[in-house]
Amino acid sequence: MKSIILKTASNYLLPLLLLFSVFVLLRGHYLPGGGFIGGLVASIAFVLHAFANGLSNTKNLLRVHPGFFIPAGLTLSLGSGFAPMVLKQLPFMTGVWFKDPIPVIGMIGSPLFFDIGVYFVVIGVSLTIIFTISESA
Amino acid sequence: MTTNFIIYPILYQAITAILLMFFWRNPKTQRLLSILSSSFGLVLAVSLFVFIWQNGTTALQAGNWAAPFGITMVADTFSASLVVLTHIVALAASIYSSEKVISSRIKFGYFPIFHLLIMGLTGAFLTGDIFNLYVWFEIIIISSFVLLTLGGRHHQIEGAVKYFTLNMLASIIFLTAIALLYGITGSLNMAELSVIIPQIENKGLVQLIAIIFFTGFGIKAGVFPLYFWLPASYHAPPAAVSAVFGGLLTKVGVYALIRVFTLIFDLDEFNSTLIMVTAALTLLSGGLGALVQKDIIKVFSYLIICHIGFMIAGLSMNSQVALIGAVFYMFHDIIIKSNLFLISGLTSSIMGSSKLEKMGGLLNAYPKISLLIAIPLFALVGIPPLSGFWPKLSLFGASLSSGNYTLLAFMIFASFITLFIIARIWNQVVAKPKPGKFPENGFNTYSFKQKAAFIVPIILLSLVTLYISFGAEHIQILAERISNELLNTEQYYQAVFKTINP
Amino acid sequence: MIAAVLAGFILAPVFAFSKKILVEKTAKLFALLPLILFVYFVSFSGQVASGEVVDFTYSWVPSLGIDLNFRIDGLSTLFLLLITGVGTLVFFYTSNYLKGHEKLSRFYAYLSLFMASMIGLVLSDNVFLLFIFWELTSISSFFLIGFNNTQEGSRKSAITALAITGFGGLFLLSFAIFSGGLTGTSRISEMAEMTEVFSSGTSSVLLLIFLLVAAFTKSAQFPFHFWLPGAMKAPTPVSTYLHSATMVKAGVFLLLRFSPHFSLNEWWSPVLILFGAITMVYAAIHTLFRTDMKGVLAYSTISALGILVFLIGLGNSYALSAALVFIVVHALYKAALFLVTGIVDHKTGTRDLTVLSGLRSFMWPVAIAGFVSAASSAGIPLFIGFIGKDLIYEGTLHSAMIWTTVVAVLTNFLLGYAGFAVGIKPFTGPKPEKSIAKPSAVLWFPPVLLAAGSLVFGLFPGLLEGIIIPAYEVTGGQDFHPLKIWHGFNLVLLLSGCTILLAILLYRFWKLNPEKETFISRFDPIAPKTILLKASLLFEKMAAFWTRTAQNGHLRNYVLIIIVALITALIYHLIGSPLTYLDQLIWTPLEWGEVVVVSIMFVAIIFTVFSKSRLAAVAGLGVVGYAMCFIFVFFSAPDLAMTQFTIDTLTVILFVLVLYRLPPYLKLTNNRLRIRDGVVSLAFGALITLLALEVMNESPARLISEFYAESSYLKAKGKNVVNVILVDFRGIDTLIEITVLSIAAIGVFGLLKLRLKKSEK
Amino acid sequence: MNELFMIVVISLGTLFILLAAVGLVRMPDLYLRISVTTKAATLGVGLLLAGTALYFFEVSTTTRALAIIIFLFLTAPIGAHLIGRTSYFVGTPLWKRSVMDDLKGKYDKRTRELMSSEEEQKRTEEQN
Amino acid sequence: MTLQEYIHYIIIPILSLSGVLVFIRFLIGPSLSDRVVALDLLITIGIGIIAVYSIVNKRETFLDIAMILALIAFLSTVAFSYYLEKRKKNE
Amino acid sequence: MELILAILTGVLYAAGIYLILRRSLVKLIIGLVLLGNAINLLIFLMGGLVEGNPPIISGEEKVLAEGFADPVPQALILTAIVISFGLQSFAIVLIKRAYQVVKTDDLDQMNTTDKIE
Amino acid sequence: MRIQFLLNIILTIVWMFLTGSLEVINFVFGFILSFFVLWIISHTNKSNKYFYLAPRIIGFFFYFLYELFRANILVAADVVTPKFYMKPGIVEVPLDAKSNLEITLLANLISLTPGTLSLDVSHDRKVLYVHAMYIEDKEKFIRSIKNGFEKRLLAILR
Ligand code: NA
Ligand code: NA
């Protein structure tokens, strides 16, 4: 859409929303949020940017095709399920954790990486779908 | 030692799919990778089966959360066998796809999704959690849906709309049933449900929920009057995909029905009558439908429905013999139906059409192929001693000994109509002279590799059929053991609740 | 033994894929296969004659009671010798008859397949095994009949034959299973000791029906007979083999095999006699009107089969031995006549009896064979047929029913005519104008040999006793009456004489011409074939109607049917056992905000459903989603509220992106449909509400939830329990779920981006 | 005292929201509805959030409330602008008692570009 | 009367009433834009309700939901505007 | 409230089914979305209704406070929501593609594949 | 570069707001995160003027709040009374604001005040079209905007 106002605002809303999405992702284990919502918020950020600036600009911004996030995220999630199998001979998807929490994020363990994988998959999926639709409109 | 190996076949397909995604634009690599990994997947599946055969039902508590708190994956003989069959079909379809599926489809994710479909099927067979089963079903739906539409041709879209809507409806009904089940039991673990359900006093409510389950699975299994999505869509995708659809998709529904109605719900008078009536009408309407179709793929589609009736009939009679028949029939049917769709793909490509009136001349032009396809065709009919014959012994026997003569009549009718239809197909495709000419860039012009990709999977599946036929004793013993396990739910329960890993 | 049975099966593909040249050269040698088998089976005749049985057992599928139980006894030996003996001649004959035929190798493959099935069939002492070979004979005869696959007629005949015999086969399967279940064994010989199973109770009636349907279809009894004349479309060697000694006799074999079992069943005799009699008369009359040699033979075969069934039904010692002798008699003369017909056809190019005459000078050995066989067929003394006929009359006379003798005479003299018509007519009379090539010895030798058999056994019937008596004993007969040419002057002799006389008179004065065939074809509309054909057409129409009605392409019909089916099942059950306690629920009190949200949602749903504009509907959908979000807020589900909200927004975006390209809603459905659908939907909704309320009465122990409440932080290190469930307790669900998403995305990408070219399929 | 202040803030916020709702129903044209509602509601919610922040009175809650207010103040006017602009563009009419419409005819039908009066004059001159 | 009771009996009903009014506008339209504006306002009111609801229940967790709503609610407005701008003339 | 929500669930189901029974593909998809909501609400009801006590361990607590809302249905719904989002997006795109290929949104015109030729 | 840094700091502060923790480690984490986010979106984000004058910002904030309340009450009176006193219309307001950010902020602020709504900016960015509820005198209205919001805003931004 040819609106300077939207365009300008979206440029500032994008980082804000992205930041917010990471925030939602990381706190998911303790408070409402998590990979899905985080991923959805992040996708919405890019969608907004695309509405305002046109699809090609947003794609340039992303540098890679959004579809790339899908296998990447899947690998991360699946990998965090594998970690206990490979590392400790435990059943698939068993949570393995570092001993001490780190500030801001809290405990670091395989479920966290799993959730991050979810986050990326959701971004990849939403953006692939919406971008594809827009392009073929 | 953990029991992680139960889900190796699942994880393996997932890894394959992801790997294939990374080779998105490279059809050659994808083809090779797919065949290689399908072969290795089969090895994994077989070794799983061997383990289960030797050690009995085994469970994996995912996440190391003791049942019923996490998701339990359970491999018993039934599911392990089905996993093996799935992987056999997958290998065949994979080889078949390697030349038959055009590279533009491959560049749009054909192979990753194909492997995810296989993963979904495997998962559905192995899960011991009712909601998890729903999730696996969704994998199956979405991947089959994508494979169905890939290419986006007119008939594909039309088929897909129906396929999608009715399968979504099935999922919604299934999920409704799960919700209600959770509402009365507070559990999702199938082994635990098998213990809780009998203790519930409100039997009527349990039965209503059972009906909803039956409807949901019935749509997937393609029983009367819920099968409409099947004939409307199976002709749409490439033959390799139809093969997986034809062989396995409905069988997952049948599997779910058998599992749920042996493990969780009682097959009491009402349920078994309901299922029996359904089975009879399925046999009838599938047969009638197949009789009037003029396109080979549609004939096969209706025959799928018709023959689902046999398995459902086996379930409905609620006896060990009948269950043996149902299970045996299922094994036979998976291989046969997959093979038939591969064959329909082969013959259509030889003839340039899948319409029966435009086909013909196979016997004179391709005698060896004719002999090859005679095996599955007549095995489908149940010409003894080919594979379709054996389960009928148990099914007919069970209906005779339990006095279900009407059901027997329907089974005889279905067998007869199948015989007639297949004989007619034989006449029209194989024996009759070809009307018009064979297409110019037809089968004969293919390279050796292309021909092999066509023929090898059919040979592979036909060999399996021959094994089922002449090694019927093995399959019979297998089916007996499966029916034992299905009827003695205690064993399943023990397997799920004993294994708490160190 | 197993090698003997399997030899045909194994050699079939070898034949099929041998090089054509090789087959041409070695075809005569193929006859060695049946010959060796013949010799092999003859080697048992000594043991068999002394009343021994030889059993061979190989394990196959013991858990189903199906093993390879082969038994050589009198009955099987009789059939084995016919199968392999006639087989040898047919194999030999074919090598010349189909010389140069493109598909000769395939023919031999089918033939040996068929022979092997037949051998297996008569050897089986296992009722399942019997069925297996039974079906194999059906299927291999399907190939044989349809051998001329480029001709539509022969394909049609093949499918008719398969349909009828296959239909019967399913009854044999039922018989096998049922009898196996009732007797606890699958061995036919062991079953024979449990006659009570086969003679009393409803189950025995069922068993009888199963068996008879199988036998009658295979042995072409009225009204299943019509596949047999159609099967004449096959090359003559096939007809010879199928209709004289093998395929159609399988049904007779079955009846003989099980006649001891059913000996006490009161229905056995009357039913067999009735069907046998109808068949033999009906078919015999038909022979009069046929002008095609093969047509005459076909109907005379049916008639002969009727006689056999009739005799087995009579069941007295004369009738039984008559049946056994007649099997041999019929095999000898019918095979010879078929072969003769083949030669005539091969050399003259026609089988039309109104045209053929005077061939004797071109093919005198063939003519002799024809004459001898015709004589045997008419029961002229000194030929084996005479002995057969005598026994038949003995049999009927020993039954209490006079009419049986009448129909026997009637049938026999008509059959005598048929024999003359085929075996004599073409060779007598004026010579044809054109000269006709002489048949090679390979062609004429087999019929001559068969004719010689008719003569030799006719002169020395005692030679036959060696195989007839053991068979007779196996079928439950006692006190065999020795086979003699001369019984003295008695009623039987008189009847025989009359029969012959009548046959000769009929042959003299019955003028065959095409009008005769036209005449009989007037009865076609009421012939079983037509009726069945019409019925099957009607059936197909019904099937088409039904399929078109059910699968009418309208998605909403499918949905409607599914929903109505579900509603019906639920309501049906509810009527049987109504729900009990809806009143015990403790309700959560109403709150302002909740009521407003729910009310808005109600209205928004209705708005969405009835909106005239798509976009308004999508907006309405948005409201519904946001209202859901607030329900989640009010009832303690923050994660759900967040997800619902974001996804709802994304869904709206998707709809919007897609919809602006589409034309507006069309107003399509009429009010009647709206009301119907409305009622169905509301009924479904009401049922769900009812179920939900009923379920909420149950208060199961939520052990799982309590475990999560306690261990979420302590064991899984997370405080948002829902999130912990998603990423840990039930992580697999989530893993699959993101896979679903991934597939959807790939699918969308493919659906919109992939454009196939015309050439790509 | 503190509680009373909270009650005032919250009541005020609620009133503004009610005002927005009434305005939305009553106002005669779309632009007026947007004009009245977006801001009144934003202000109202802002006040409610302020009340919430005061109630909990701790850093994490306050920052969250503040974040929500910032988000709302960032997004609400943009939404209003967009929907107003597009509505005008697709021809949603002004209230009949409106006194002026400077926008009339300024959108180029084809390119959808919006001209200023100055630019419009220029173009007219060029064309002449 | 405590603050909770005040909110429960006075504030929430008024907010709910506002919601109903806005929803009426949504229903009567007349244009799609009117509906979009109404939808937007509904969500804004929802944020308000959530805010006071968190006071009633003394759980600040609910503010998190409000945060999401505040950030992305306007996106559907953007989408509908996009639609209006791009759609064909025939609706 | 349970009664009202149960009725609401029923209404959602009814509305969804009714829309699926229309001839328009767009209505069909909207119907499926409504059914998705219906099923979520049903699952939600099955866990029992709890006000103001989300299954989140607050502050320094180590276990959930008594009277918590059942987290299991919530997790199930989350999964179900996300799955139906995936399926719905695909379905929505299918509308688009169907319109491109079949040139209509009328389902009654999408019946060629079921015809017996 | 400087502006990038400033943005980075601002985002970091937003992050600390969001997480509700003022610890140093959170600052570091927020800084890294914001840096990353900015890196992602960096190359289309053409540099702009940025605000740096805190007092003016605060002053402006209160001016805005004042305007917000004043206008709201004005409108409220009209909404709740049965008769409408308004004279609405669309006014073309010439802009001194030049950059995208300036225009956007101005337009949003105008929109946020009840009774006025920024409809669109002309293609050449010279005028802003505003829908207003009370237009007694067009020139006066334009002046009130230019002397009110625009002047104060530009004073901060330039
Ligand atoms: Na979460
Ligand atoms: Na875990």
Side-chain angles (χ1 to χ4, degrees), chain A residues 28-29 31-37 115, chain C residues 639 643 720 722-724 726, chain F residues 78:
Chain A
H29 220 48
L31 289 165
F36 288 130
I37 307 173
D115 222 12
Chain C
D639 280 274
T643 314
N720 178 359
V722 174
N723 186 271
V724 175
L726 285 177
Chain F
L78 262 177

Side-chain angles (χ1 to χ4, degrees), chain G residues 38-56:
Chain G
L38 284 172
W39 175 76
I40 287 180
I41 61 160
S42 60
H43 64 212
T44 56
N45 200 8
K46 294 175 192 86
S47 64
N48 277 307
K49 299 270 175 189
Y50 216 74
F51 41 99
Y52 41 84
L53 295 168
R56 283 191 193 174

